[in-house]
Amino acid sequence: MSSDAGSKPKKRKRSTTPTTKESTKKKSIKSASAPVPTNVLLIDNGGDTLKYGILGLHKNPESMPNITARLRHQLTVLVGDEIHSVQPTQLVNTTRSLERGCITNLGNQVQVWKRVLEKLRIQVPVRTEAAEAFGWKLSRQTANKKAPLYFPQQMAVVIMVCPLCPRSIMEQVISIWFNDFGFSHVGLLTTSAFGAVPTSTECCCVVDMGWSATQVVPTYQQ
């Protein structure tokens, strides 16, 4: 008989590799310790028109159509304000990002958001999943030899969303601005809450008359 028959089995050493929950927790702690943003980008995500601007720098917000379109007999995709450069009769397959105030085509919306960043000369990362999916090689500012004025790692973005927006959509929006656009802080705010901020009354009713939907939301300030 073997002499090892009566020996006790050796105890296995526990792995020192952190579990998924621990890794996620450390990642969230790292995000929470991000530096204070130097600028805040505010986006009013409308169904027909998207308004945007940097708080404290732009007194009057700029706007562009929240759509993409293709040219007739071509594969060229025009995004946002680019559709103003051609005749309306030349456009085909116009695609909107929202329906009834809620994002229904997130891929189309990402393209319009990227156009906003280009207009404001905010650096757009080109080594992300969205960049690979849409073929973002170089931003147009780099191609035109215009250095970016702002870097997303030092900025925050606040996006207006409709009341009762599905949680799955909000999580995807937050993930895109964190991971694909590289912003250090991301915030979501309902249009009704934003409209009630300037008022001094305790209770008010905000009526948001949008392009594809009208939302009536009562608000209460404590």
Side-chain angles (χ1 to χ4, degrees), residues 116-138:
V116 169
L117 300 182
E118 289 178 346
K119 293 282 291 182
L120 296 175
R121 294 179 64 181
I122 300 174
Q123 188 181 50
V124 179
V126 294
R127 295 183 179 179
T128 61
E129 293 182 1
E132 294 179 0
F134 293 106
W136 299 344
K137 295 182 179 179
L138 285 176

Side-chain angles (χ1 to χ4, degrees), residues 6-160:
S7 61
K8 295 183 180 180
K10 296 181 180 180
K11 294 183 179 180
R12 294 182 178 179
K13 294 183 179 180
R14 293 184 179 180
S15 176
T16 57
T17 305
T19 60
T20 305
K21 292 184 178 180
E22 292 176 351
S23 302
T24 306
K25 185 177 180 181
K26 291 182 179 180
K27 186 176 181 180
S28 61
I29 293 175
K30 184 178 179 181
S31 301
S33 60
V36 178
T38 55
N39 293 290
V40 179
L41 171 62
L42 181 62
I43 297 179
D44 183 3
N45 220 54
D48 181 63
T49 304
L50 186 146
K51 300 180 180 65
Y52 60 94
I54 298 178
L55 296 180
L57 297 179
H58 299 155
K59 295 182 179 180
N60 298 321
E62 300 182 28
S63 63
M64 70 170 60
N66 196 2
I67 62 175
T68 62
R70 291 184 181 273
L71 293 176
R72 190 177 300 277
H73 307 301
Q74 296 185 27
L75 297 177
T76 304
V77 179
L78 303 179
V79 182
D81 61 322
E82 293 179 336
I83 66 174
H84 297 317
S85 61
V86 299
Q87 297 295 329
T89 55
Q90 297 178 340
L91 300 177
V92 294
N93 296 335
T94 302
T95 305
R96 297 188 180 275
S97 306
L98 282 77
E99 290 183 8
R100 298 177 183 253
C102 189
I103 298 176
T104 55
N105 192 329
L106 193 57
N108 195 76
Q109 186 64 80
V110 170
Q111 292 280 63
V112 180
W113 284 339
K114 176 179 178 287
R115 179 61 180 165
V116 169
L117 300 182
E118 289 178 346
K119 293 282 291 182
L120 296 175
R121 294 179 64 181
I122 300 174
Q123 188 181 50
V124 179
V126 294
R127 295 183 179 179
T128 61
E129 293 182 1
E132 294 179 0
F134 293 106
W136 299 344
K137 295 182 179 179
L138 285 176
S139 63
R140 296 173 188 179
Q141 284 74 28
T142 305
N144 296 334
K145 297 182 179 180
K146 292 183 179 179
L149 296 178
Y150 310 100
F151 297 93
Q153 298 85 356
Q154 304 170 358
M155 296 187 65
V157 61
V158 177
I159 306 170
M160 295 189 198

